[in-house]
Amino acid sequence: MIDKIAWIHLVDGRILSTRSRGKQVYYLPGGKREAGETDVETLVREIREEVSVEIAEPTIAPAGVFEAQADGKAAGIVVRMTCFTADYTGTLAASSEIEEIAWLGYADRERVSPVDKIIFDHLRDAGSLK
């Protein structure tokens, strides 16, 4: 099991996604926790590292936990994505590990990782993702 934290940030029916250098697939911003980190600490650190903004901690809210086959890993290795919404300060910008930031809609579903596809379905069903 790969345990990850992710930020769901929607604007006008589109979701913020990132593509790492050398990858073709898009992922929600976030990542793995470091030893001893809480979900909030992981979210704040990963978002700062990936998209160069500061999460406003008082606005963090749970947005669901989703599981799927881990992208690019052996069959049976599952990723669990614990998702949060939150406001932020700063200007979104790709960091050194991120090649591209993109605003994706449901039509872009085939361009994202397996767990993100489940999240896209959930958000579309909720009327949040166009």
Side-chain angles (χ1 to χ4, degrees):
M1 174 76 62
I2 299 171
D3 181 34
K4 288 190 164 185
I5 303 297
W7 183 34
I8 292 178
H9 183 59
L10 293 151
V11 174
D12 297 327
R14 299 179 81 71
I15 191 165
L16 178 69
S17 295
T18 59
R19 186 173 56 78
S20 297
R21 295 196 185 285
K23 302 278 187 177
Q24 298 302 313
V25 175
Y26 289 85
Y27 301 87
L28 296 181
K32 297 176 194 170
R33 77 182 78 241
E34 293 181 353
E37 275 187 328
T38 66
D39 288 355
V40 167
E41 290 167 337
T42 303
L43 181 70
V44 169
R45 177 184 52 76
E46 284 287 344
I47 299 312
R48 182 184 308 122
E49 288 175 1
E50 291 189 359
V51 293
S52 307
V53 297
E54 291 297 321
I55 292 294
E57 289 189 37
T59 69
I60 296 172
V65 178
F66 306 88
E67 293 183 3
Q69 168 65 41
D71 184 55
K73 302 291 183 186
I77 297 180
V78 172
V79 63
R80 174 182 293 139
M81 191 89 78
T82 304
C83 298
F84 297 90
T85 60
D87 295 335
Y88 70 93
T89 57
T91 302
L92 294 167
S95 73
S96 58
E97 68 186 61
I98 302 299
E99 188 165 338
E100 180 184 5
I101 292 175
W103 291 96
L104 303 180
Y106 192 75
D108 299 302
R109 184 180 180 275
E110 292 307 312
R111 299 169 65 194
V112 302
S113 72
V115 72
D116 285 15
K117 288 178 182 176
I118 293 169
I119 296 166
F120 272 43
D121 292 343
H122 170 78
L123 293 171
R124 184 197 57 179
D125 292 348
S128 302
L129 187 64
K130 296 179 184 176

